[in-house]
Amino acid sequence: MTGKPQDRYVHAGKLEEVMRLEAQAKAFGKVLEKEFEIVDLKPGMKVLDAGCGTGAVARKMATKVSPGEVYGIDIDPLFICEARKLAANEGVSNVRFELGDVDSLKYGDGTFDISYCRLVLMHVKNPVKTVTELKRVTKKGGVVAVSDNDDGGVITYPEMPKMMDLWTKYGRSAKIRGEDRYIGRQLFSIFSHAGLSPITIYPLPIHATQQTPEMLKMLVLVPVQIMEQCKENMMREGLVAVEHYEEAMKEVQAFLSHPGAFAMGLTFLAVGKVT
Ligand SMILES: C[S@@+](CC[C@H](N)C(=O)[O-])C[C@H]1O[C@@H](n2cnc3c(N)ncnc32)[C@H](O)[C@@H]1O
């Protein structure tokens, strides 16, 4: 492994990923509000958002903790640069973004009230090491909170067998690169090994129907956009043929115009106390 951001995150350095991360945080707005409520974000707190991407979540947290501060760190210089611009454009001044590695944080022990990390653990080499580092920089009495998906919780009506087959293949290809799309169910084990106690796991389903077509589209297009960025690799690896890919995309279009369409995904929030 080299020190390149692309070795840590396959979508690093891509402008389309900047837009996808922003759209994704928007689509998950209700789940994020629920997470903020659970971790009890309060004015005056000092919060870390480790692996902040474009800072979409850090900006939301900053408005909740003002006059406190949010520190967003990420391994990708492009995301950090965009995060600074987006925060400046929105006039959010109590958030700072810095380049950094979640496994080796530059902050001292006990710096933050809350150390939060969303959709990152699935990309790291050693999740216990990452959570142990988050614990180190959190104050005694504070919390480490990690939010991650688990593809085992994906349900759709009508079913999309070709799309799901493709997504499972993407999951396998991702696993070889070190991305674990089934990390949600492992959070309790990871937090226990990192020495956090007590630990609470909150399964947070997110769903949409044709009553909220924009949301339905976002939910279903998140995996499509992820695969679109890796399509050529998957074809090169022989995981998928062009025709198979095109058929799966037709299935997605048919799903989106089905009057009774329903889609659900599952996020897990793990909250561990630092004692
Ligand atoms: C799916 S994105 C999630 C971004 C953000 N947390 C959000 O919810 O929008 C994963 C992020 O983790 C970052 N990342 C992956 N490995 C990292 C590491 N070792 N240190 C810091 N950031 C990392 C990537 O650059 C990317 O921005």
Side-chain angles (χ1 to χ4, degrees):
M1 185 179 281
T2 70
K4 285 191 289 182
Q6 282 80 359
D7 292 331
R8 303 297 182 98
Y9 187 56
V10 70
H11 312 294
K14 296 177 184 165
L15 266 177
E16 63 261 38
E17 180 63 1
V18 170
M19 288 181 286
R20 196 192 69 78
L21 288 177
E22 287 292 308
Q24 181 174 258
K26 201 169 159 202
F28 280 67
K30 277 196 186 143
V31 173
L32 289 171
E33 281 301 323
K34 185 81 200 156
E35 290 187 359
F36 299 164
E37 203 184 300
I38 292 169
V39 299
D40 202 15
L41 278 186
K42 284 201 188 91
M45 281 181 163
K46 191 167 178 175
V47 177
L48 172 69
D49 183 7
C52 62
T54 56
V57 182
R59 298 197 303 276
K60 284 180 196 281
M61 290 197 289
T63 60
K64 302 262 172 201
V65 302
S66 176
E69 276 190 311
V70 177
Y71 289 66
I73 68 109
D74 201 281
I75 200 97
D76 186 350
L78 173 72
F79 295 166
I80 289 298
C81 176
E82 293 298 316
R84 287 178 181 148
K85 280 194 232 163
L86 286 160
N89 288 348
E90 285 183 19
V92 186
S93 57
N94 60 328
V95 60
R96 37 174 106 172
F97 294 105
E98 290 163 346
L99 259 187
D101 187 336
V102 290
D103 287 335
S104 166
L105 296 165
K106 67 171 197 180
Y107 308 107
D109 296 1
T111 303
F112 299 99
D113 297 294
I114 298 176
S115 297
Y116 175 86
C117 184
R118 176 172 183 265
L119 303 177
V120 179
L121 227 55
M122 67 168 77
H123 301 287
V124 301
K125 211 171 161 193
N126 182 344
V128 174
K129 182 179 173 208
T130 306
V131 174
T132 305
E133 182 63 348
L134 293 175
K135 181 182 155 208
R136 180 187 70 75
V137 298
T138 308
K139 288 178 188 163
K140 288 210 173 12
V143 297
V144 174
V146 167
S147 170
D148 252 289
N149 291 346
D150 191 304
D151 283 352
V154 175
I155 296 176
T156 69
Y157 175 81
E159 288 183 0
M160 293 188 277
K162 289 181 180 132
M163 170 61 188
M164 289 312 284
D165 179 54
L166 196 62
W167 188 230
T168 306
K169 285 181 172 144
Y170 171 81
R172 263 186 238 135
S173 146
K175 180 95 182 153
I176 296 166
R177 291 193 312 269
E179 178 184 330
D180 189 342
R181 303 213 48 96
Y182 297 88
I183 192 101
R185 67 191 68 182
Q186 302 165 48
L187 292 179
F188 176 74
S189 169
I190 294 165
F191 269 45
S192 303
H193 282 102
L196 290 156
S197 174
I199 302 159
T200 313
I201 305 291
Y202 300 86
L204 301 171
I206 177 166
H207 78 277
T209 65
Q210 288 295 14
Q211 290 180 121
T212 51
E214 278 310 306
M215 180 68 186
L216 188 70
K217 203 168 156 189
M218 285 240 192
L219 261 187
V220 174
L221 292 187
V222 163
V224 171
Q225 287 163 345
I226 291 176
M227 283 193 298
E228 190 60 36
Q229 294 183 38
C230 296
K231 186 169 83 178
E232 263 135 47
N233 274 353
M234 287 171 76
M235 288 180 184
R236 243 194 324 270
E237 287 166 15
L239 280 174
V240 57
V242 183
E243 312 79 65
H244 182 170
Y245 191 88
E246 283 168 2
E247 279 169 24
M249 293 307 123
K250 277 189 202 144
E251 206 175 55
V252 171
Q253 289 314 319
F255 170 89
L256 287 173
S257 51
H258 190 288
F262 169 91
M264 191 191 97
L266 194 54
T267 290
F268 288 90
L269 175 71
V271 180
K273 198 123 185 128
V274 178
T275 48

